[in-house]
Amino acid sequence: MEKTLSIIKPDAVAKNVVGKIVDRFESNGLRIAAMKKIQLSVSDAGKFYEVHAQRPFFGELVEFMTSGPVVVMVLEGENAVSKNRELMGATNPKEADAGTIRADFADSIDANAVHGSDSLENAKIEIDFFFAGREVL
Ligand code: GDP
């Protein structure tokens, strides 16, 4: 069993497809262990995406992630990290396989509907960034 962090980004929250995205996870063997809707501050988004701080798109990424509320979740299941990445599809929705969340709900490389931890190690760091232990059930 693994846990991973998922974020439904502002574009998908604004489109009102939170339930449709959550259904992809639940229908594919992942369980919601924690879930909340929050508005990220510039400081939150900057810290969360710190690894990308030197990338040319960092400013746009922070601006986008703070443009509206997000839904943050802990997903639990067998191989949850890779299973979530598989369900999400490629970062650029134009390259995402048919039937993936990004192919179906995302518009562009920045407004790409979801975030998912890319390793078990980062999943733990990202879960701790958003949730207290008593919130993960
Ligand atoms: P992910 O793990 O698939 O989300 O991709 P990365 O960790 O590589 O990048 C983090 C996020 O930065 C992506 O989900 C995109 O929203 C954004 N991003 C990545 N590459 C680009 C880019 O070339 N341009 C812009 N505007 N955003 C990007």
Side-chain angles (χ1 to χ4, degrees):
M1 280 300 210
E2 288 179 2
K3 288 191 184 73
T4 190
L5 186 91
S6 167
I7 305 178
I8 303 181
K9 294 188 179 184
D11 56 320
V13 173
K15 280 186 191 165
N16 213 21
V17 292
V18 171
K20 287 185 175 149
I21 292 175
V22 169
D23 181 53
R24 299 286 174 102
F25 301 135
E26 292 187 331
S27 298
N28 287 280
L30 296 173
R31 200 180 62 76
I32 311 296
M35 188 175 198
K36 63 185 170 191
K37 186 178 195 180
I38 56 171
Q39 170 67 51
L40 297 181
S41 67
V42 168
S43 155
D44 291 331
K47 267 185 224 148
F48 184 76
Y49 280 117
E50 211 164 29
V51 296
H52 295 309
Q54 303 309 319
R55 308 278 284 273
F57 57 83
F58 182 69
E60 276 172 39
L61 178 59
V62 170
E63 192 179 333
F64 171 66
M65 289 301 288
T66 57
S67 65
V70 296
V71 173
V72 191
M73 284 167 286
V74 177
L75 304 176
E76 185 181 55
E78 257 178 57
N79 303 313
V81 173
S82 58
K83 168 66 76 178
N84 181 36
R85 297 287 306 187
E86 196 184 300
L87 295 171
M88 287 164 59
T91 306
N92 185 346
K94 291 181 180 70
E95 291 162 12
D97 288 344
T100 60
I101 293 169
R102 282 168 165 167
D104 291 344
F105 300 111
D107 297 322
S108 64
I109 193 158
D110 50 333
N112 63 1
V114 280
H115 164 84
S117 309
D118 63 3
S119 68
L120 201 50
E121 189 191 0
N122 283 338
K124 171 139 185 41
I125 295 167
E126 293 180 356
I127 290 168
D128 290 346
F129 183 84
F130 283 110
F131 293 98
R134 67 177 181 282
E135 295 178 309
V136 182
L137 304 162

